[in-house]
Amino acid sequence: ELKVEQNPLFLSMQEGKNYTIYCNYSTTSDRLYWYRQDPGKSLESLFVLLSNGAVKQEGRLMASLDTKARLSTLHITAAVHDLSATYFCAVDMTDRGSTLGRLYFGRGTQLTVWP
Amino acid sequence: EAGVAQSPRYKIIEKRQSVAFWCNPISGHATLYWYQQILGQGPKLLIQFQNNGVVDDSQLPKDRFSAERLKGVDSTLKIQPAKLEDSAVYLCASSLGARYYEQYFGPGTRLTVT
């Protein structure tokens, strides 16, 4: 079974600071997602990373994927309170080189940004 | 475009009772998923449908959980009988196809088993 580990699980940071969330996974995959979840809400797609070296940026968030290291990062630049939420990475399971459309999620990183 | 619809949004039952959840995917989406999200954890895939056929149900506790997708559109997930550890949010998601297509999630049904 594919294992996905995120760290840290809890992150408390001051506005204006930078930080990185890490997502490691255990087996080959070249398709990784980042989602945001607000309390009591469903999952909102942030990024889809499709190949080794992929980098995507939206506002203060930047995600990257290193398939050889089986590692993705979500970098937060100059954090603001509105970024407070739980962030999940999810890896699409691969079988013989093809993705199966089955997502395996990390436990999530609960981010709190304070003034 | 309408999103994935789920009902009910909240349900409280006693252990050993039965419960059913309903999901209406985005129009035209062939693939439908049910996930279980226990508090403090990431969603866990329970079952994947392609049209009205089951593609993967390896993580579905089949002694008490069942799911169907009639006519390849709406789906229901049933738990019978419920246990305390079934308390979770049940998320439905859909995508155009199983491979290489993004999944869109519904608002979820929060189940509390007392």
Side-chain angles (χ1 to χ4, degrees), chain A residues 1 31 33 35 37 40-43 45 48 88 92 95 97-108, chain B residues 9-10 33 35 37 40-45 48 55-56 59 91 98-103 105-108 110:
Chain A
E1 182 182 309
R31 193 171 180 90
Y33 296 80
Y35 289 92
Q37 187 175 43
K41 305 289 186 182
S42 191
L43 297 167
S45 178
V48 182
F88 292 94
D92 199 333
D95 179 46
S98 295
T99 61
L100 300 178
R102 295 170 203 165
L103 297 184
Y104 287 77
F105 283 80
R107 291 192 62 180
Chain B
R9 294 294 312 278
Y10 305 91
Y33 307 83
Y35 290 86
Q37 186 177 17
Q41 299 183 20
K44 171 188 170 184
L45 178 65
Q48 176 189 14
V55 177
D56 177 58
Q59 301 191 94
L91 295 165
R99 303 180 185 218
Y100 308 111
Y101 290 103
E102 187 171 352
Q103 296 181 28
F105 285 81
R110 182 177 297 276

Side-chain angles (χ1 to χ4, degrees), chain A residues 46-50 54-58 61-65 74:
Chain A
L46 294 174
F47 301 108
V48 182
L49 302 170
L50 301 178
V55 177
K56 290 197 174 179
Q57 183 163 6
E58 180 73 33
L61 301 178
M62 183 174 70
S64 66
L65 177 63
L74 180 66

Side-chain angles (χ1 to χ4, degrees), chain A residues 78-91:
Chain A
V80 294
H81 178 71
D82 285 352
L83 290 179
S84 297
T86 299
Y87 293 85
F88 292 94
C89 65
V91 179

Side-chain angles (χ1 to χ4, degrees), chain A residues 10-89:
Chain A
F10 299 93
L11 177 57
S12 179
M13 57 191 298
Q14 191 174 16
E15 281 189 330
K17 299 294 186 182
N18 305 330
Y19 207 84
T20 300
I21 300 170
Y22 296 89
C23 174
N24 291 90
Y25 53 98
S26 61
T27 62
T28 302
S29 176
D30 57 3
R31 193 171 180 90
L32 187 140
Y33 296 80
W34 283 96
Y35 289 92
R36 168 179 172 147
Q37 187 175 43
D38 291 289
K41 305 289 186 182
S42 191
L43 297 167
E44 173 191 353
S45 178
L46 294 174
F47 301 108
V48 182
L49 302 170
L50 301 178
S51 61
N52 187 41
V55 177
K56 290 197 174 179
Q57 183 163 6
E58 180 73 33
R60 301 174 187 274
L61 301 178
M62 183 174 70
S64 66
L65 177 63
D66 181 344
T67 58
K68 294 179 181 178
R70 298 177 185 169
L71 170 69
S72 180
T73 61
L74 180 66
H75 186 73
I76 304 159
T77 302
V80 294
H81 178 71
D82 285 352
L83 290 179
S84 297
T86 299
Y87 293 85
F88 292 94
C89 65

